[in-house]
Amino acid sequence: MKQETLVKELQKLVGKEKVKGSIDWRLSYAYDGTPTGYKGIPDAVVFPENTEDVAKILSFANENRIPVYPRGAGSGLTGGSAPLQGGIVVSTEKMNRIIEIDEANLAVLTEPGVVTYDLQKEVEKRGLFYPPDPSSYKFSTIGGNIAENAGGPRCVKYGVTKDYVMQLEVVFADGTVANLGSKAVKSVAGYNLKDLIVGSEGTLAFITKAYLKLIPAPEAVRTAMAIFPKVEQAAQAVADMFKVKVIPTACEFLDKNSIVAVENYAKIGLPTHAEGLLIIEVDGYEAIVDELIHRAIDVCKKAGAIEVKIASDPKEREAIWNARRAVSPAIVQLKPKKINEDVVVPRSRIPELIKNVYKIADKYNLMVVNFGHAGDGNIHVNFMYEPHEEDRVKEAVREVFLLTLELEGSVSGEHGIGWMKKEFLPLEVKDALEKMKAVKRALDPNNILNPGKIFDL
Amino acid sequence: MKQETLVKELQKLVGKEKVKGSIDWRLSYAYDGTPTGYKGIPDAVVFPENTEDVAKILSFANENRIPVYPRGAGSGLTGGSAPLQGGIVVSTEKMNRIIEIDEANLAVLTEPGVVTYDLQKEVEKRGLFYPPDPSSYKFSTIGGNIAENAGGPRCVKYGVTKDYVMQLEVVFADGTVANLGSKAVKSVAGYNLKDLIVGSEGTLAFITKAYLKLIPAPEAVRTAMAIFPKVEQAAQAVADMFKVKVIPTACEFLDKNSIVAVENYAKIGLPTHAEGLLIIEVDGYEAIVDELIHRAIDVCKKAGAIEVKIASDPKEREAIWNARRAVSPAIVQLKPKKINEDVVVPRSRIPELIKNVYKIADKYNLMVVNFGHAGDGNIHVNFMYEPHEEDRVKEAVREVFLLTLELEGSVSGEHGIGWMKKEFLPLEVKDALEKMKAVKRALDPNNILNPGKIFDL
C-alpha cells in the first residue's frame, strides 16, 4: 500500500486527528532510547484513544499485512519499539488515564500510556505502593514496562513488573479483544496467556488496559553504604545478607571503575582504590528497619568492608543515592561512546562475572565499568570506547554474553532482546527457540506485530 | 496399536521394569483425587527414571498419536491426571530426587516426583523456606503442584507455586528437551514459556526438572482466631487488615455452616450462631510479630468480632488450626455426597459471594458450607447432598460459577479445570479461549499431551 493511501485509510478508520503521516512526525517516531540511532522510518504514526481504535488498526493491518509497532515512551534500550520496515507506529500516548484505584482490593486499573512515576504518585496518596522502578520510571509508561517486563533496583525484594500484573486487556493481531488473567488474586482457569504477553515486547498482542496489584506502602526505609577493598567481599556481603534474613529493598553495586568515575565527576570523597561499593536499602515496619539495616551493616563489616555509613536523615539518604545516580553521567565523560549490556547471573556468580569481564576488557584493550543490581545478580556491563574501537567492543560484548551463559545467567535481566540482542538469544534459550516461534506463529500468523524483534521467523 | 503391542514397544524403549501393562496396574492408575471415579483406563503405565526416558516416550507417542497422561501423586480434584481415552499414564514416582539445594542462591533443583512436604522439610533444615502449601502438600508432588499452579493458605502473603518456579526443564510433545526461564533471579530473554507451562495441567509439556526459589525462613509466627456475628464483619476485617499494613501469612474463613459442622463434630466450644470465623496468622521477624498480630486483632474487634483469641504457645496454635482442619472431616458427616468448588473473587466481593451462595442453596433446597482462603478471596463452596439431589446440585454449581464471574472472579482459584470444569471455562475466558487453543495446537500439534483436559480442540 502506498504511504499516502495508508495514512488516508487509517484516518478513515479512527479519525483524521489521530493519524500523522508527515515526514516530521514519521522521523520523530523512528527513534527510541537505543543509542544506535534509527533503523527504519514508519509510514504512519497513530494515536489511538481507546481499545476499539486499537482493534480497528490491528484488524486493518492484519488484513493488509502491514507491520505494527506498539510504542510507549520509546525509552527502551534494545530497540523494542523501533520501526524496522515501514508500517505503522501505534503510540499509547493518548491512552493515559488511570481508570480506577481499587483500594479495597489493592489494585489499580490503568490505560497503558500512563507514566509509571505518575501512577506511583497517585497510588501513594492513598497509602499504597506500586514497587516496579525501572531507571526510566519518570518517563517510561506502564504499557512499555509490561511489554518489556521491566525490573529496577527494588526488584530484589519486590519482584519485577510481571509480579504486579493481575489482568490485561489486550488486542491480538487479528483484532480479537480479550481479558487475560483475573481480578481475583489467584486463578488457574486455562492457560496463563497473561504472563506470556508480559515481556513479549509487543510481538504477541497490544496491551490496552492493565489491572495491577498494589501493596501497602512500607512504613519506613533505611539506607546505608559500604565500601570494600575486594569485589569478592562485596559479593559475599550480598549473599550473607539473606542468611541473616535481610531481604534488601535495593542492593546496588559499583565496581572500581564506577567508583573512580563517580569520584572524579562528583568529588564526594569515595576511596578510589576500593573494588566494590554497595548501597543497601531496607524497608518495612517502623519497629524493625533499624535492626535490619544494622544486620546488613554487620554482615558488610564481617565480609571486610573498610567503611560503612548509615544515613541518619533524608538528606544523608539522598547523598548516598547520589553516588549511584552519578554513575551514568560520570561514565559518559570517560569516552565518547558507550554500550550498556544488562547481563544477569545467579547472585553467587557475581565475583566470577566481574573478574572475567575485566579480563575480557584487558584482552580487547577496552575500558569497562560495571554497576547495577547486585541483590539479584543483574550487572550493567558498560564498555566505554572511541568510535574506532567499535569492532573490538562487539567482540568483547559477545564474550561477555558467552561468559554470562557459562555462569548460568541470562543475556538480559531487564532491557529485553528487541533487535539489538537477537543474535545472542539462541545461545541462551537453545531448543526453546523453535517453540517460541511456534507460539508467535499461532498468535500472529501474519507476523504483523513488531516484526523483526526478539527473533526472525 | 494393540494394547499388548504398545506395552512391548514401550518396554523396548525404556526398559521392561519401567512399564506396567497388567489390568491391576492399569486400573490403579485410572483414578485420581476427583470424587467422580474413573473415566477411562490407560493401556499402559510407565515410570520413567530420567529426562531421556520421558523424551523417548513422548517422541514415540507423538509419532504414533497415542495420548500421554502426565501424573504426579494423582491427588488432583478436577481430573487433571485422569486418563480419558486409553493411552499411556506417565508417572513421575521414580523421578523423586532433590538434586541440589543451592544455599548461596536460595534455590533448589529438584525432580518433579518429590513430595512437596519432603522438599519443604529438607530445605527447612538449612533455614530456608518453600512457601506453597496446597492442602495436599503431604502427598502431592512438586511436578503436580507446578502443573496445576497450586496455591494454599499461605499464598495470600507468599504467592502461588508459579511465584517460586525460576526454571523448568521440560519435554515437549515432539520429544524436544528445553530449559525455560533462568537460574538468574530475573531474565527477559525471549518469551516466558515457563509461566505458560506452569498451570497448563500437563497439556503443553512434561516437566522433568524444576529450579525453585526459596526464601529465608521467617523467624517467628503468631496465630489468632476471631469470631464475628455477621459475615460482612469478617470480610471487613480482612480488607482492613491490609490497611494497617498487615499482610497475613494465612487468613482462613469459616462460614456459619462450617462453624456448626465443626462444633458438632469436634465440640471445641465455637459459638454456633456466629456467621464468620477467621484464623489469622502472621510471620516475620521476632521483633515485630507480636505487634502485627495485635494490629490484626484490633482490626477484628473494630469490625465487630465478639470473640478473639491469640495463641500463646504452640499448643494453642494447634488448637486454633484444628478448628480449620476439622472442617473437611466434619462436613462429610453431614451428607453422603459432597461437591467442592474453589471459586475465587476479589477480596471485597466475599460478602456478596457468601450471601448469594446461600440464596442459591435455598433456591435448590441444598445444604452448602463455605470456607477457605479469605485473604485472597478463594472460597471453597461445598454442596453437601444425597445421591438423588445430584441434578439440583449441578444446577446450583452452575449458578455459583455464574455468580462468581458476575463478581469479577474466577471459576478456579487453585484446583484447575481438568475435565471437570471444562464447560465453565469459556464463560470466564471468552475470546481468549481460541488463543489458548492456538497455543496448544502450536506446541502439541497431534494433541497427545493430556488430551481432553482444560478444553476440547
Side-chain angles (χ1 to χ4, degrees), chain A residues 102-106 127-128 148-153 155-156 160 162-163 167 172-174 176-196 198-201 203-204 211 215-219 239 242-247 285-288 291-292 295 342 344-349 373 375-378 408-417 425 428-429 431-432 435-440 442-443 453-455, chain B residues 102-106 127-128 148-153 155-156 160 162-163 167 172-174 176-196 198-201 203-204 211 215-219 239 242-247 285-288 291-292 295 342 344-349 373 375-378 408-417 425 428-429 431-432 435-440 442-443 453-455:
Chain A
D102 183 350
E103 290 186 64
N105 293 302
L106 284 87
L128 297 170
E148 301 290 318
N149 191 16
C155 92
V156 52
V160 291
K162 170 168 82 80
D163 301 309
Q167 191 174 49
F172 285 99
D174 61 2
T176 301
V177 178
N179 278 301
L180 311 176
S182 175
K183 286 190 175 176
V185 171
K186 57 187 182 183
S187 166
V188 287
Y191 293 159
N192 181 3
L193 298 186
K194 176 204 26 124
D195 285 334
L196 177 67
V198 177
S200 67
E201 307 195 28
T203 65
L204 295 180
Y211 186 79
I215 59 175
E219 291 176 359
F242 293 87
K243 289 187 188 153
V244 297
K245 300 183 192 297
V246 174
I247 301 180
Y285 300 107
E286 192 64 60
I288 192 78
E291 181 181 330
L292 295 185
R295 285 192 200 182
D342 80 316
V344 53
V345 293
R347 257 189 301 268
S348 69
R349 317 299 293 265
H373 320 311
D376 49 26
N378 187 195
E408 303 190 281
S410 174
V411 298
S412 185
E414 46 187 35
H415 295 173
I417 300 298
L425 182 67
E428 177 170 344
V429 303
D431 288 347
K435 303 304 174 189
M436 293 180 188
K437 290 183 180 178
V439 167
K440 167 70 173 175
L443 296 180
K453 305 299 170 64
I454 306 182
F455 45 69
Chain B
D102 184 350
E103 290 185 62
N105 293 303
L106 286 86
L128 297 170
E148 300 291 320
N149 191 16
C155 93
V156 51
V160 291
K162 170 169 81 80
D163 301 309
Q167 191 174 48
F172 285 99
D174 61 2
T176 301
V177 178
N179 278 302
L180 312 176
S182 176
K183 285 189 176 176
V185 173
K186 57 187 182 181
S187 166
V188 288
Y191 293 159
N192 180 4
L193 297 186
K194 177 206 22 128
D195 285 336
L196 177 67
V198 177
S200 67
E201 307 194 28
T203 65
L204 294 179
Y211 187 78
I215 59 174
E219 291 177 357
F242 293 87
K243 288 187 188 154
V244 297
K245 301 185 192 294
V246 175
I247 301 180
Y285 300 105
E286 192 65 59
I288 192 80
E291 182 182 329
L292 295 185
R295 284 193 200 181
D342 81 316
V344 53
V345 292
R347 258 188 301 269
S348 69
R349 317 298 292 266
H373 320 311
D376 49 26
N378 187 195
E408 301 190 283
S410 173
V411 298
S412 184
E414 47 187 34
H415 295 174
I417 300 298
L425 182 67
E428 177 170 344
V429 303
D431 288 347
K435 303 304 173 190
M436 293 181 188
K437 290 183 180 178
V439 167
K440 166 71 173 173
L443 295 181
K453 305 299 169 64
I454 306 182
F455 45 69

